[in-house]
Each structure stands twice: as C-alpha cells, then as structure tokens.
Amino acid sequence: MPNLHVEATMSELKFDFGSGSVESGYIGVSASESYSQTKGYGFNTPENMLNVTASGTGEASDAVQFLTYGTKSTNTFNVDLPNGLYEIKVTLGNTARASVAAEGVYQIINMTGNSAADKFQIPITDGQLNILVTEGKAGTAFTLSALKIRKLSDTPVTNRTIYIGGDSTVCNYYPLDSSVQAGWGQLFPDFISAKTFQVRNMASGGQIARGFRNDGQLEAILKYIKPGDYFILQLGINDTNPKNNTTEAEFKEIMRDMVGQVIATGATVVLSTPQGRATDFNSEGVHTSVNRWYRHATLALAQEENVPLVDLNVLSSAYFTSIGPIATSALYMTGDSLHPNRQGAAELARIVAEDLQKQGLDGFSIDE
C-alpha cells in the first residue's frame, strides 16, 4: 500500500477511484478501502460507499458512489496532509448534478454532467483533508472518479479571493471551458488578474436570498473569507417569483443580514443587480429593465450599508441598446430571454469587471 506520510512530500497526489484498472501515476482506491493511519488515506465509513462504472475514459472510467452524504456527513474520503494550502481537483463519475463538500462545508456547487471536473483551494489546519460528493439534485448518484491534490504553500491561508453569490445567470456550467450556457461568474476569471485573485463562484441555479443564506453557501464563504477578499452578491430574479414567497422588504433584510455577516469578517461586499431579459426593448429601441428583480431594494441597501454597487441592470442595458435587439438576442440561449449563453456571460463578466475597475476598488487595477 502507498504510504502518504512519504508521498505527501511529492508535488501532487492523484487518486483513481473504483474497482477498474488504475491509471499510471494514480493511487487506486476501491469503495471498500477504509482509512488507516498506516496508509494515510481511505474512506471513513466504507460500508456507505459503492464501486460504480462511469462513462469517461482513463481515471474517469469508473468511480465510487457516496450512499450517505450531506456537508456534515462523516462518510468522507480522508487524506493525511501536512498543514498548508492545497489545490484540490475533482472529477466526478456519472451524475446529473452534484456538489463537493470538504471540512463540513460546500466547496463546489452543482457540478453538472458526467465526468465534470473543477478545482478549489483549501487550507488544511488539522493534518487531514475530509472530502465527499453530496447533494446537487435529489435522486442523483453522487460519484467521484478522481482526485488530484497539489500543495501550494506551507501557510494554510487561501490566496486573495473573490467569492460570488447568485443564481442561474451567474453560476458555473460544465464543462467549464466549453459549456454553451454560462453564468457571468463562470467567465469572470477571464477579466481579472490571476496573480491578484482566485475566484470562487458559489452561485447556483434557482437560488433565492433566503436559500443562499440558510442552505450552506454563505456558510462556506464565511468559513474562509478574510480581509482583502471580496464577496459579489447578485440575487433577486427568483426572489420575485411568487412561488418563493419573498416580499421585496423581506428580500432586502435577508440581503442586509448577509452583507453584515461578511463585513464583520473584514472582507468587502459588492452588491450587483441582475441584467434584464433580452426582450426588454421599448418601441424606440432602448433596452431598459430598471423595475425588474427587486433592483430598487438592492440599490437602497447598497446606499444604506455603504457598500459598492455594480448596477449591472443599467450597465448591461446600455450595452444591449448599443448593439440592438438582434445582437442582444444572440447573447442569450436559443428561445430563452433570461439565461445568457457563453458569449453573453462573457460580456456581462466584462461589464462587471470594468465597473469595479472604474470604481477604483483595491486590486481591480487595469494595469494588473
């Protein structure tokens, strides 16, 4: 058996999960493999794991399934690691939608599709990584095909980070580098300096302010966010849906609560208003959606709490007006006036980044 007390000094650890063949350079891990201090890795409760096939290739050709799950579940894969900052890359098996949790909080929200891959930074302070795949969509198999662990620093503190909260117009879609649909948070890293910031997009489709605050996404941000970091929060589209039973006054106070909790950490909150629909053109060819999505509550909250505001609603409308209705429609998914395609998400991300630069917020220098 490989001994991670020796191998943890290597530049990268790679695990290939399932009962099939093991890719070269990887450590094979079957669902039945329990954690031991001797090996330095294994499942905490292997009786709650299952070997399954997967439709990918190489290390993604098989996987393990988590039969019990939840961010607080003890059914984790454990790896002994020297304290420090690590980059963790996960590759899922076959699943419609699943999230990744570690150290008791969400790390990646709603990875979609078979063999979806993503990565995150995590500080290890207790000598061990505890990770699992958990809820993204009820009734879906939560599976893990491969795990890569790379040490970034001996200091267990995340790099300077921009956290993003929002809904389906903001969130990630997979594969990250080629998805047809995209949220602006997914494309935001293309418009900022990677030397200055990492981006953690914690947005999810269908999200409302109450859900973001109460269901684990804000908790994950509060665990790691620190002075010098940013939290960009854009909600309101789904809050206005009558089925979610959120009045504008209630929306504003829930948002205020989140703003206050993040400010208390010493980080900077930026509020953003959602863009309008592709069809929000008047008879004179002007795009305007200033009365949508509880925008007025967001503007008032930014002023009352003295936090920066990106009025993406107005900024995007000015851009849409400049290019016209046909070109605007081409920035949205076919037959969909609300959700941007990849090109549209890139334009929205550009607008947000440029506005933050114009506002002179620390770290958003055009010259960086």
Side-chain angles (χ1 to χ4, degrees):
M1 293 286 185
N3 188 317
L4 294 200
H5 298 292
V6 175
E7 295 202 22
T9 63
M10 299 167 57
S11 60
E12 188 174 56
L13 288 169
K14 299 190 291 186
F15 295 95
D16 182 350
F17 296 96
S19 58
S21 60
V22 179
E23 285 296 293
S24 176
Y26 285 74
I27 299 168
V29 183
S30 172
S32 61
E33 194 152 357
S34 61
Y35 168 80
S36 74
Q37 289 184 334
T38 302
K39 297 194 307 286
Y41 67 91
F43 291 103
N44 194 48
T45 52
E47 62 273 19
N48 296 322
M49 300 301 303
L50 181 68
N51 288 318
V52 293
T53 59
S55 57
T57 59
E59 70 273 16
S61 63
D62 56 355
V64 291
Q65 180 178 344
F66 291 80
L67 301 180
T68 62
Y69 39 85
T71 58
K72 312 303 180 189
S73 173
T74 59
N75 186 33
T76 54
F77 180 67
N78 302 333
V79 185
D80 291 340
L81 297 169
N83 288 349
L85 179 65
Y86 291 84
E87 179 184 87
I88 312 297
K89 181 178 180 180
V90 296
T91 302
L92 303 188
N94 289 4
T95 184
R97 186 163 71 225
S99 297
V100 175
E103 314 310 318
V105 297
Y106 285 118
Q107 301 292 337
I108 306 173
I109 299 294
N110 286 359
M111 297 173 69
T112 49
N114 299 340
S115 303
D118 205 345
K119 59 187 177 182
F120 60 93
Q121 284 185 10
I122 188 169
I124 299 297
T125 59
D126 61 359
Q128 190 176 79
L129 172 70
N130 312 105
I131 190 170
L132 77 159
V133 183
T134 186
E135 296 100 331
K137 182 179 181 181
T140 295
F142 305 128
T143 60
L144 179 63
S145 279
L147 187 67
K148 294 182 180 179
I149 302 172
R150 182 167 66 95
K151 192 172 188 181
L152 301 176
S153 170
D154 290 331
T155 304
V157 178
T158 54
N159 293 344
R160 197 172 181 194
T161 305
I162 301 170
Y163 296 90
I164 300 176
D167 53 39
S168 58
T169 66
V170 184
C171 70
N172 290 347
Y173 296 83
Y174 295 81
L176 289 172
D177 60 354
S178 62
S179 64
V180 175
Q181 184 172 354
W184 68 253
Q186 179 180 342
L187 279 295
F188 196 68
D190 293 346
F191 298 93
I192 62 167
S193 170
K195 295 179 181 179
T196 304
F197 295 112
Q198 66 152 337
V199 175
R200 295 290 297 275
N201 189 6
M202 302 300 288
S204 60
Q207 191 55 280
I208 61 175
R210 184 185 297 108
F212 195 93
R213 183 188 65 178
N214 296 350
D215 296 341
Q217 286 153 287
L218 181 65
E219 176 192 24
I221 292 169
L222 291 173
K223 184 177 178 69
Y224 299 113
I225 199 167
K226 59 192 182 301
D229 289 349
Y230 286 92
F231 175 38
I232 305 174
L233 181 59
Q234 178 184 299
L235 288 164
I237 291 177
N238 297 297
D239 296 85
T240 62
N241 190 320
K243 73 176 183 179
N244 289 316
N245 195 30
T246 305
T247 67
E248 187 163 7
E250 289 169 336
F251 167 77
K252 184 180 178 182
E253 292 312 306
I254 295 169
M255 294 284 282
R256 189 192 307 277
D257 182 34
M258 289 193 281
V259 168
Q261 289 190 61
V262 174
I263 287 177
T265 70
T268 299
V269 177
V270 177
L271 293 177
S272 175
T273 58
Q275 89 284 352
R277 291 185 176 275
T279 51
D280 286 337
F281 282 87
N282 63 22
S283 59
E284 298 176 346
V286 175
H287 189 281
T288 180
S289 55
V290 292
N291 294 317
R292 285 193 183 273
W293 319 138
Y294 291 162
R295 171 180 172 269
H296 299 296
T298 301
L299 266 61
L301 179 61
Q303 183 174 25
E304 292 165 14
E305 297 297 326
N306 194 30
V307 298
L309 171 76
V310 174
D311 198 353
L312 182 59
N313 183 288
V314 169
L315 294 171
S316 63
S317 283
Y319 174 68
F320 295 154
T321 298
S322 73
I323 64 175
I326 295 176
T328 296
S329 181
L331 297 177
Y332 286 74
M333 296 295 291
T334 301
D336 185 339
S337 66
L338 178 61
H339 297 97
N341 57 26
R342 193 174 191 87
Q343 182 183 356
E347 294 293 352
L348 294 172
R350 174 188 59 78
I351 291 169
V352 173
E354 288 180 353
D355 194 59
L356 292 171
Q357 292 170 348
K358 289 176 182 177
Q359 292 190 45
L361 297 183
D362 179 52
F364 288 96
S365 170
I366 295 175
D367 296 327
E368 287 186 275

